[in-house]
Coordinates of all heavy atoms in Angstrom, one line a residue:
M1 N 10.2 -33.4 46.5 CA 11.2 -34.3 46.7 C 12.4 -33.9 45.9 O 12.4 -33.8 44.6 CB 10.8 -35.7 46.1 CG 9.8 -36.4 47.0 SD 9.3 -37.9 46.2 CE 10.4 -39.1 46.8
Q2 N 13.5 -33.6 46.6 CA 14.7 -33.2 45.9 C 15.7 -34.4 46.0 O 15.9 -35.0 47.0 CB 15.4 -32.0 46.6 CG 16.6 -31.5 45.9 CD 17.2 -30.3 46.6 OE1 16.7 -29.9 47.6 NE2 18.3 -29.8 46.1
Q3 N 16.3 -34.7 44.8 CA 17.2 -35.9 44.7 C 18.6 -35.4 44.9 O 19.0 -34.4 44.4 CB 17.0 -36.6 43.3 CG 17.7 -37.9 43.3 CD 17.4 -38.6 42.0 OE1 16.8 -38.0 41.1 NE2 17.9 -39.8 41.8
Q4 N 19.3 -36.1 45.8 CA 20.7 -35.8 46.1 C 21.6 -36.2 45.0 O 21.5 -37.3 44.5 CB 21.1 -36.4 47.4 CG 22.5 -36.1 47.9 CD 22.8 -36.8 49.1 OE1 22.0 -37.6 49.7 NE2 24.0 -36.6 49.6
T5 N 22.5 -35.3 44.6 CA 23.5 -35.7 43.5 C 24.7 -36.4 44.2 O 25.1 -35.9 45.2 CB 24.0 -34.5 42.7 OG1 24.5 -33.5 43.6 CG2 22.8 -33.8 42.0
T6 N 25.1 -37.4 43.6 CA 26.2 -38.2 44.1 C 27.5 -37.8 43.3 O 27.5 -37.0 42.4 CB 26.0 -39.7 43.9 OG1 25.9 -40.0 42.5 CG2 24.7 -40.1 44.6
V7 N 28.6 -38.4 43.7 CA 29.9 -38.1 43.1 C 29.8 -38.6 41.6 O 30.4 -37.9 40.7 CB 31.0 -38.8 43.8 CG1 32.3 -38.7 43.1 CG2 31.1 -38.3 45.2
I8 N 29.2 -39.7 41.4 CA 29.1 -40.2 40.0 C 28.3 -39.3 39.1 O 28.6 -39.0 38.0 CB 28.4 -41.6 40.0 CG1 29.4 -42.6 40.7 CG2 28.1 -42.1 38.6 CD1 28.8 -44.0 40.9
D9 N 27.2 -38.7 39.7 CA 26.4 -37.7 38.9 C 27.2 -36.5 38.5 O 27.2 -36.1 37.4 CB 25.2 -37.2 39.8 CG 24.2 -38.3 40.1 OD1 24.2 -39.3 39.4 OD2 23.5 -38.2 41.1
K10 N 27.9 -36.0 39.5 CA 28.7 -34.8 39.2 C 29.9 -35.1 38.2 O 30.2 -34.3 37.4 CB 29.3 -34.2 40.5 CG 28.2 -33.6 41.4 CD 28.8 -33.1 42.7 CE 27.7 -32.6 43.6 NZ 28.3 -32.2 44.9
A11 N 30.5 -36.2 38.4 CA 31.6 -36.6 37.5 C 31.1 -36.8 36.1 O 31.8 -36.3 35.1 CB 32.3 -37.9 38.0
A12 N 30.0 -37.5 35.9 CA 29.4 -37.7 34.6 C 29.1 -36.4 33.9 O 29.3 -36.2 32.7 CB 28.2 -38.6 34.6
M13 N 28.4 -35.5 34.7 CA 28.0 -34.2 34.1 C 29.2 -33.3 33.7 O 29.3 -32.7 32.7 CB 27.1 -33.4 35.1 CG 25.7 -34.0 35.2 SD 24.7 -33.1 36.3 CE 24.9 -33.9 37.8
A14 N 30.2 -33.3 34.6 CA 31.4 -32.5 34.3 C 32.2 -33.1 33.1 O 32.7 -32.3 32.3 CB 32.3 -32.5 35.6
L15 N 32.4 -34.4 33.1 CA 33.2 -35.0 32.0 C 32.5 -34.8 30.7 O 33.1 -34.4 29.7 CB 33.4 -36.5 32.3 CG 34.2 -37.2 31.2 CD1 35.6 -36.6 31.1 CD2 34.3 -38.7 31.6
S16 N 31.2 -35.1 30.6 CA 30.5 -35.0 29.3 C 30.4 -33.6 28.9 O 30.6 -33.2 27.7 CB 29.1 -35.6 29.4 OG 28.3 -34.9 30.3
G17 N 30.1 -32.7 29.8 CA 30.0 -31.3 29.5 C 31.4 -30.7 29.0 O 31.5 -29.9 28.1
G18 N 32.4 -31.1 29.7 CA 33.8 -30.7 29.4 C 34.2 -31.2 28.0 O 34.8 -30.4 27.2
L19 N 33.9 -32.4 27.7 CA 34.3 -32.9 26.4 C 33.5 -32.2 25.2 O 34.1 -31.8 24.2 CB 34.0 -34.4 26.3 CG 34.9 -35.3 27.0 CD1 34.4 -36.8 27.1 CD2 36.3 -35.3 26.4
M20 N 32.2 -32.0 25.4 CA 31.4 -31.3 24.4 C 31.8 -29.8 24.3 O 31.9 -29.3 23.2 CB 30.0 -31.5 24.7 CG 29.5 -32.9 24.4 SD 27.7 -33.0 24.4 CE 27.4 -33.3 26.1
L21 N 32.1 -29.2 25.4 CA 32.6 -27.8 25.3 C 33.9 -27.7 24.6 O 34.2 -26.8 23.9 CB 32.6 -27.2 26.7 CG 31.3 -26.7 27.3 CD1 31.5 -26.2 28.7 CD2 30.7 -25.6 26.5
L22 N 34.8 -28.6 24.9 CA 36.1 -28.6 24.3 C 36.0 -28.8 22.8 O 36.6 -28.1 22.0 CB 37.0 -29.7 24.9 CG 38.4 -29.8 24.3 CD1 39.2 -28.6 24.6 CD2 39.1 -31.1 24.9
G23 N 35.1 -29.7 22.4 CA 35.0 -30.0 21.0 C 34.3 -29.0 20.2 O 34.6 -28.7 19.0
V24 N 33.3 -28.3 20.8 CA 32.6 -27.3 20.1 C 33.1 -25.9 20.3 O 33.5 -25.2 19.3 CB 31.1 -27.4 20.5 CG1 30.3 -26.2 19.8 CG2 30.5 -28.7 20.1
V25 N 33.2 -25.4 21.5 CA 33.5 -24.0 21.8 C 35.0 -23.8 21.7 O 35.4 -22.9 21.0 CB 32.9 -23.7 23.2 CG1 33.3 -22.2 23.6 CG2 31.4 -23.8 23.3
V26 N 35.8 -24.5 22.5 CA 37.2 -24.2 22.6 C 37.9 -24.4 21.2 O 38.6 -23.5 20.8 CB 37.9 -25.0 23.7 CG1 39.4 -24.8 23.7 CG2 37.3 -24.7 25.0
L27 N 37.7 -25.5 20.6 CA 38.3 -25.7 19.3 C 37.7 -24.9 18.2 O 38.4 -24.5 17.2 CB 38.3 -27.2 19.0 CG 39.1 -28.1 19.9 CD1 39.0 -29.6 19.4 CD2 40.6 -27.7 19.9
G28 N 36.5 -24.5 18.4 CA 35.8 -23.5 17.5 C 36.5 -22.2 17.5 O 36.8 -21.5 16.5
I29 N 36.8 -21.7 18.8 CA 37.5 -20.4 18.9 C 38.9 -20.5 18.4 O 39.4 -19.6 17.7 CB 37.5 -20.0 20.4 CG1 36.1 -19.7 20.9 CG2 38.5 -18.9 20.7 CD1 35.9 -19.4 22.3
V30 N 39.6 -21.7 18.6 CA 40.9 -21.9 18.0 C 40.9 -21.8 16.5 O 41.7 -21.2 15.9 CB 41.5 -23.3 18.4 CG1 42.7 -23.6 17.7 CG2 41.8 -23.2 19.9
E31 N 39.8 -22.4 15.9 CA 39.7 -22.3 14.4 C 39.5 -20.9 14.0 O 40.0 -20.5 12.9 CB 38.5 -23.2 14.0 CG 38.8 -24.6 13.9 CD 39.8 -25.0 12.8 OE1 39.9 -24.4 11.8 OE2 40.6 -26.0 13.1
I32 N 38.7 -20.1 14.7 CA 38.4 -18.7 14.3 C 39.7 -17.9 14.4 O 40.0 -17.1 13.5 CB 37.3 -18.1 15.2 CG1 35.9 -18.8 14.8 CG2 37.2 -16.6 15.0 CD1 34.8 -18.4 15.7
L33 N 40.4 -18.1 15.5 CA 41.7 -17.4 15.7 C 42.7 -17.8 14.6 O 43.6 -16.9 14.3 CB 42.2 -17.6 17.1 CG 41.4 -17.0 18.2 CD1 41.9 -17.3 19.6 CD2 41.2 -15.5 18.0
A34 N 42.7 -19.0 14.2 CA 43.7 -19.4 13.2 C 43.4 -18.9 11.8 O 44.3 -18.8 11.0 CB 43.7 -21.0 13.1
G35 N 42.2 -18.4 11.6 CA 41.8 -17.8 10.3 C 41.1 -18.9 9.4 O 40.8 -20.0 9.7
K36 N 40.9 -18.5 8.1 CA 40.2 -19.3 7.2 C 41.1 -20.5 6.9 O 42.3 -20.5 6.9 CB 39.9 -18.5 5.9 CG 38.9 -17.5 6.1 CD 38.4 -16.9 4.8 CE 37.3 -15.9 5.1 NZ 36.7 -15.3 3.9
P37 N 40.5 -21.7 6.5 CA 39.1 -22.0 6.3 C 38.4 -22.3 7.6 O 39.0 -22.9 8.4 CB 39.2 -23.2 5.3 CG 40.4 -23.9 5.8 CD 41.4 -22.8 6.2
Y38 N 37.1 -21.9 7.7 CA 36.3 -22.2 8.8 C 35.6 -23.6 8.7 O 35.2 -24.1 9.7 CB 35.3 -21.1 9.1 CG 35.9 -19.8 9.4 CD1 35.6 -18.7 8.6 CD2 36.9 -19.6 10.4 CE1 36.2 -17.4 8.9 CE2 37.4 -18.4 10.7 CZ 37.1 -17.3 9.9 OH 37.7 -16.1 10.2
G39 N 35.4 -24.0 7.5 CA 34.7 -25.3 7.3 C 35.5 -26.5 7.5 O 36.7 -26.4 7.8
A40 N 34.9 -27.7 7.5 CA 35.6 -28.9 7.7 C 36.4 -29.4 6.5 O 37.4 -30.1 6.6 CB 34.6 -30.0 8.1
A41 N 36.0 -28.9 5.3 CA 36.7 -29.4 4.1 C 37.8 -28.4 3.8 O 37.7 -27.2 4.0 CB 35.7 -29.4 2.9
P42 N 38.9 -28.9 3.3 CA 40.0 -28.1 2.9 C 39.6 -27.2 1.6 O 38.8 -27.6 0.8 CB 41.2 -29.0 2.5 CG 40.5 -30.4 2.4 CD 39.2 -30.3 3.1
L43 N 40.2 -26.0 1.6 CA 40.0 -25.1 0.4 C 40.9 -25.6 -0.7 O 42.1 -25.9 -0.5 CB 40.3 -23.7 0.8 CG 39.4 -23.0 1.7 CD1 39.8 -21.6 2.0 CD2 38.0 -22.9 1.1
T44 N 40.3 -25.6 -1.9 CA 41.1 -25.9 -3.1 C 41.0 -24.8 -4.1 O 40.1 -24.0 -4.1 CB 40.6 -27.2 -3.8 OG1 39.2 -27.1 -4.1 CG2 40.8 -28.4 -2.8
N45 N 42.0 -24.7 -5.0 CA 41.9 -23.7 -6.1 C 41.2 -24.4 -7.3 O 40.7 -25.5 -7.3 CB 43.3 -23.2 -6.5 CG 44.2 -24.3 -6.9 OD1 43.9 -25.4 -7.2 ND2 45.5 -23.9 -7.0
D46 N 41.2 -23.7 -8.5 CA 40.5 -24.2 -9.6 C 41.2 -25.5 -10.2 O 40.5 -26.3 -10.8 CB 40.5 -23.1 -10.7 CG 39.6 -22.0 -10.4 OD1 38.7 -22.2 -9.5 OD2 39.8 -20.8 -10.9
A47 N 42.4 -25.6 -9.9 CA 43.1 -26.8 -10.4 C 42.9 -28.0 -9.5 O 43.4 -29.1 -9.8 CB 44.6 -26.5 -10.6
G48 N 42.3 -27.8 -8.4 CA 42.0 -28.9 -7.4 C 43.1 -29.1 -6.4 O 43.1 -30.1 -5.6
E49 N 44.1 -28.2 -6.4 CA 45.2 -28.3 -5.4 C 44.7 -27.7 -4.0 O 44.0 -26.7 -4.0 CB 46.4 -27.5 -5.8 CG 47.0 -28.0 -7.1 CD 48.1 -27.1 -7.6 OE1 48.1 -25.9 -7.2 OE2 48.9 -27.5 -8.4
V50 N 45.1 -28.4 -3.0 CA 44.7 -27.9 -1.6 C 45.5 -26.7 -1.3 O 46.7 -26.8 -1.3 CB 44.9 -29.1 -0.6 CG1 44.6 -28.5 0.8 CG2 44.0 -30.2 -0.9
I51 N 44.8 -25.6 -1.0 CA 45.6 -24.4 -0.6 C 45.5 -24.0 0.8 O 46.3 -23.3 1.3 CB 45.1 -23.2 -1.5 CG1 43.6 -23.0 -1.4 CG2 45.5 -23.4 -3.0 CD1 43.1 -21.7 -2.0
A52 N 44.5 -24.6 1.6 CA 44.4 -24.3 3.0 C 43.5 -25.5 3.6 O 42.6 -26.0 3.0 CB 43.7 -23.0 3.2
T53 N 43.9 -25.9 4.8 CA 43.2 -26.9 5.6 C 42.9 -26.3 7.0 O 43.5 -25.4 7.4 CB 44.1 -28.2 5.7 OG1 45.3 -27.8 6.4 CG2 44.4 -28.8 4.4
P54 N 41.8 -26.9 7.6 CA 41.5 -26.4 9.0 C 42.7 -26.7 9.9 O 43.4 -27.7 9.7 CB 40.3 -27.3 9.3 CG 39.8 -27.8 8.0 CD 40.9 -27.9 7.1
M55 N 42.8 -25.9 10.9 CA 43.9 -26.1 11.9 C 43.7 -27.4 12.7 O 44.6 -28.1 13.0 CB 44.0 -24.9 12.8 CG 45.1 -25.0 13.8 SD 45.3 -23.5 14.7 CE 46.7 -23.9 15.7
V56 N 42.5 -27.6 13.2 CA 42.1 -28.7 14.0 C 41.3 -29.7 13.1 O 40.4 -29.3 12.5 CB 41.3 -28.3 15.3 CG1 40.9 -29.6 16.1 CG2 42.0 -27.3 16.1
D57 N 41.7 -30.9 13.1 CA 41.1 -31.9 12.3 C 39.6 -32.1 12.7 O 39.3 -32.3 13.9 CB 41.8 -33.3 12.5 CG 41.3 -34.3 11.5 OD1 40.8 -34.0 10.4 OD2 41.5 -35.5 11.8
P58 N 38.7 -32.0 11.8 CA 37.3 -32.1 12.1 C 36.9 -33.5 12.8 O 36.0 -33.5 13.6 CB 36.6 -32.0 10.8 CG 37.5 -31.3 9.9 CD 38.9 -31.7 10.4
T59 N 37.6 -34.5 12.4 CA 37.3 -35.8 13.1 C 37.7 -35.8 14.6 O 37.0 -36.4 15.4 CB 38.1 -37.0 12.4 OG1 39.5 -36.7 12.4 CG2 37.6 -37.1 11.0
L60 N 38.7 -35.0 15.0 CA 39.0 -34.8 16.4 C 37.9 -34.1 17.1 O 37.4 -34.5 18.2 CB 40.3 -34.1 16.5 CG 40.7 -33.7 18.0 CD1 41.0 -35.0 18.8 CD2 41.9 -32.8 18.0
R61 N 37.4 -33.0 16.5 CA 36.3 -32.3 17.1 C 35.0 -33.2 17.2 O 34.4 -33.2 18.3 CB 36.0 -31.0 16.3 CG 37.1 -30.0 16.4 CD 36.8 -28.8 15.6 NE 35.7 -28.0 16.3 CZ 35.2 -27.0 15.8 NH1 35.5 -26.5 14.6 NH2 34.2 -26.3 16.5
T62 N 34.7 -33.9 16.2 CA 33.6 -34.8 16.2 C 33.7 -35.9 17.2 O 32.8 -36.2 17.9 CB 33.4 -35.4 14.8 OG1 33.2 -34.3 13.9 CG2 32.1 -36.2 14.8
G63 N 34.9 -36.4 17.3 CA 35.2 -37.5 18.3 C 35.0 -37.0 19.7 O 34.5 -37.7 20.6
L64 N 35.4 -35.8 20.0 CA 35.3 -35.2 21.4 C 33.8 -35.1 21.7 O 33.3 -35.4 22.8 CB 36.0 -33.9 21.5 CG 37.5 -33.9 21.6 CD1 38.1 -32.5 21.5 CD2 38.0 -34.6 22.8
V65 N 33.0 -34.5 20.8 CA 31.6 -34.4 21.0 C 30.9 -35.7 21.2 O 30.1 -35.9 22.1 CB 30.9 -33.5 19.9 CG1 29.4 -33.5 20.0 CG2 31.5 -32.1 19.9
L66 N 31.2 -36.7 20.3 CA 30.7 -38.0 20.4 C 31.1 -38.7 21.7 O 30.3 -39.4 22.3 CB 31.0 -38.9 19.2 CG 30.3 -38.5 17.9 CD1 30.9 -39.4 16.8 CD2 28.9 -38.6 18.1
A67 N 32.3 -38.5 22.2 CA 32.7 -39.0 23.5 C 31.9 -38.4 24.6 O 31.5 -39.2 25.6 CB 34.2 -38.8 23.7
G68 N 31.6 -37.1 24.6 CA 30.7 -36.5 25.6 C 29.3 -37.1 25.6 O 28.7 -37.4 26.6
I69 N 28.8 -37.4 24.4 CA 27.5 -38.0 24.3 C 27.5 -39.4 24.8 O 26.5 -39.9 25.4 CB 27.0 -37.9 22.8 CG1 26.7 -36.4 22.4 CG2 25.7 -38.7 22.6 CD1 26.4 -36.2 21.0
L70 N 28.6 -40.1 24.5 CA 28.7 -41.5 25.0 C 28.7 -41.5 26.5 O 28.1 -42.4 27.1 CB 30.0 -42.1 24.4 CG 30.3 -43.6 24.9 CD1 29.2 -44.5 24.4 CD2 31.6 -44.0 24.4
V71 N 29.5 -40.6 27.1 CA 29.5 -40.5 28.6 C 28.1 -40.3 29.1 O 27.7 -40.9 30.1 CB 30.5 -39.4 29.1 CG1 30.3 -39.2 30.5 CG2 31.9 -39.8 28.8
L72 N 27.3 -39.4 28.5 CA 26.0 -39.1 28.9 C 25.1 -40.4 28.8 O 24.2 -40.7 29.6 CB 25.3 -38.0 28.1 CG 25.7 -36.6 28.6 CD1 25.0 -35.6 27.7 CD2 25.3 -36.4 30.0
A73 N 25.3 -41.1 27.7 CA 24.5 -42.3 27.5 C 24.8 -43.4 28.5 O 23.9 -44.1 29.1 CB 24.8 -42.9 26.1
L74 N 26.1 -43.5 28.8 CA 26.5 -44.5 29.9 C 26.0 -44.1 31.2 O 25.5 -44.9 32.0 CB 28.0 -44.6 29.9 CG 28.7 -45.3 28.7 CD1 30.2 -45.2 28.9 CD2 28.3 -46.7 28.7
Y75 N 26.0 -42.8 31.5 CA 25.4 -42.3 32.8 C 23.9 -42.5 32.8 O 23.4 -42.9 33.9 CB 25.7 -40.8 32.9 CG 25.0 -40.1 34.0 CD1 25.3 -40.4 35.3 CD2 24.0 -39.2 33.8 CE1 24.6 -39.8 36.4 CE2 23.3 -38.6 34.8 CZ 23.6 -38.9 36.1 OH 22.9 -38.3 37.1
G76 N 23.2 -42.3 31.7 CA 21.8 -42.6 31.7 C 21.5 -44.1 31.9 O 20.6 -44.4 32.6
G77 N 22.3 -45.0 31.3 CA 22.2 -46.4 31.6 C 22.4 -46.7 33.0 O 21.7 -47.6 33.6
Y78 N 23.4 -46.1 33.6 CA 23.7 -46.3 35.1 C 22.5 -45.9 35.9 O 22.1 -46.6 36.8 CB 24.9 -45.5 35.5 CG 25.0 -45.3 36.9 CD1 25.4 -46.3 37.8 CD2 24.8 -44.0 37.5 CE1 25.5 -46.1 39.2 CE2 24.8 -43.8 38.8 CZ 25.2 -44.8 39.7 OH 25.3 -44.6 41.0
R79 N 21.9 -44.7 35.6 CA 20.8 -44.2 36.4 C 19.5 -45.1 36.2 O 18.7 -45.2 37.1 CB 20.4 -42.8 35.9 CG 21.5 -41.8 36.3 CD 21.7 -41.7 37.8 NE 20.5 -41.1 38.4 CZ 20.4 -41.0 39.7 NH1 21.3 -41.4 40.5 NH2 19.3 -40.4 40.2
L80 N 19.4 -45.8 35.0 CA 18.3 -46.7 34.8 C 18.4 -48.0 35.7 O 17.4 -48.5 36.2 CB 18.2 -47.2 33.4 CG 17.6 -46.1 32.4 CD1 17.7 -46.6 31.0 CD2 16.1 -45.9 32.8
V81 N 19.6 -48.5 35.9 CA 19.8 -49.7 36.7 C 20.1 -49.5 38.2 O 20.0 -50.4 39.0 CB 20.8 -50.6 36.1 CG1 20.4 -51.0 34.6 CG2 22.2 -50.0 36.0
A82 N 20.5 -48.2 38.5 CA 20.8 -48.0 39.9 C 19.6 -48.0 40.8 O 18.5 -47.5 40.4 CB 21.5 -46.6 40.0
P83 N 19.6 -48.5 42.0 CA 18.4 -48.5 42.8 C 18.1 -47.1 43.3 O 19.0 -46.3 43.5 CB 18.9 -49.4 44.0 CG 20.3 -49.4 44.0 CD 20.8 -49.2 42.6
V84 N 16.8 -46.8 43.4 CA 16.4 -45.5 43.8 C 16.1 -45.5 45.3 O 15.5 -46.4 45.8 CB 15.0 -45.1 43.1 CG1 14.5 -43.8 43.5 CG2 15.2 -45.1 41.6
E85 N 16.7 -44.5 46.0 CA 16.5 -44.4 47.4 C 15.1 -43.8 47.7 O 14.8 -42.8 47.1 CB 17.6 -43.6 48.0 CG 19.0 -44.2 47.9 CD 20.0 -43.2 48.5 OE1 19.7 -42.3 49.2 OE2 21.2 -43.5 48.3
D86 N 14.4 -44.4 48.6 CA 13.1 -44.0 48.9 C 13.2 -42.9 50.0 O 13.4 -43.3 51.2 CB 12.2 -45.1 49.3 CG 10.7 -44.7 49.5 OD1 10.4 -43.7 49.0 OD2 10.0 -45.5 50.0
E87 N 13.0 -41.7 49.7 CA 13.0 -40.6 50.7 C 11.9 -40.6 51.6 O 12.0 -40.2 52.8 CB 13.1 -39.2 50.0 CG 14.4 -38.8 49.4 CD 14.4 -37.4 49.0 OE1 13.7 -36.6 49.5 OE2 15.2 -37.1 48.1
A88 N 10.7 -41.1 51.2 CA 9.6 -41.1 52.0 C 9.8 -42.0 53.2 O 9.3 -41.8 54.3 CB 8.3 -41.5 51.2
A89 N 10.5 -43.1 53.0 CA 10.7 -44.1 54.1 C 11.7 -43.5 55.1 O 11.6 -43.8 56.3 CB 11.2 -45.4 53.5
T90 N 12.7 -42.7 54.7 CA 13.7 -42.2 55.6 C 13.2 -41.0 56.3 O 13.8 -40.6 57.3 CB 15.0 -41.9 54.8 OG1 14.7 -41.0 53.8 CG2 15.6 -43.2 54.2
A91 N 12.2 -40.3 55.7 CA 11.8 -39.0 56.3 C 10.4 -39.1 57.0 O 9.7 -38.1 57.2 CB 11.7 -37.9 55.2
Q92 N 10.0 -40.3 57.5 CA 8.7 -40.4 58.1 C 8.8 -39.8 59.6 O 9.8 -40.0 60.3 CB 8.3 -41.9 58.2 CG 7.9 -42.4 56.9 CD 7.5 -43.9 57.0 OE1 7.6 -44.5 58.0 NE2 6.9 -44.4 55.9
Q93 N 7.7 -39.2 59.9 CA 7.6 -38.7 61.3 C 6.3 -39.1 61.8 O 5.3 -39.2 61.1 CB 7.7 -37.1 61.3 CG 9.0 -36.6 60.7 CD 8.9 -35.0 60.7 OE1 7.9 -34.4 61.0 NE2 10.1 -34.4 60.3
E94 N 6.3 -39.3 63.1 CA 5.1 -39.7 63.8 C 4.2 -38.5 64.1 O 4.7 -37.5 64.6 CB 5.4 -40.5 65.0 CG 6.0 -41.9 64.7 CD 6.0 -42.8 66.0 OE1 5.2 -42.6 66.9 OE2 6.9 -43.6 66.0
I95 N 2.9 -38.6 63.8 CA 2.0 -37.5 64.1 C 0.9 -38.0 65.0 O 0.3 -39.1 64.7 CB 1.4 -37.0 62.8 CG1 2.5 -36.4 61.9 CG2 0.4 -35.9 63.0 CD1 2.1 -36.1 60.5
T96 N 0.6 -37.3 66.0 CA -0.5 -37.7 66.9 C -1.8 -37.4 66.3 O -2.0 -36.3 65.7 CB -0.3 -37.1 68.3 OG1 -0.3 -35.7 68.1 CG2 1.0 -37.5 69.0
A97 N -2.7 -38.3 66.5 CA -4.1 -38.1 65.9 C -4.9 -37.3 66.9 O -4.7 -37.3 68.1 CB -4.8 -39.4 65.7
D98 N -5.9 -36.6 66.4 CA -6.7 -35.8 67.3 C -7.8 -36.6 68.0 O -8.4 -37.4 67.5 CB -7.4 -34.6 66.6 CG -6.4 -33.6 66.2 OD1 -5.4 -33.4 66.9 OD2 -6.7 -32.9 65.2

């Protein structure tokens, strides 16, 4: 039994995957190309002065990943309440008995 993907299925997968890839991969590459610091916390010197901060705000990256997870959760909820089409009823064929 193969289940047919609908427009909602494809849109949810594309949107959630795109948001998570943007937050992790794309902005991670931007951070690497921008140079140090690679971590989420700003670099400070011995006096406690901030000497370098990340190029992309870590809350933005986290927000994009969480938005992708939220889209997946909403899609999962939709799939739980959506009616399931019965393929067996639509694909019945008559067979003659011996």
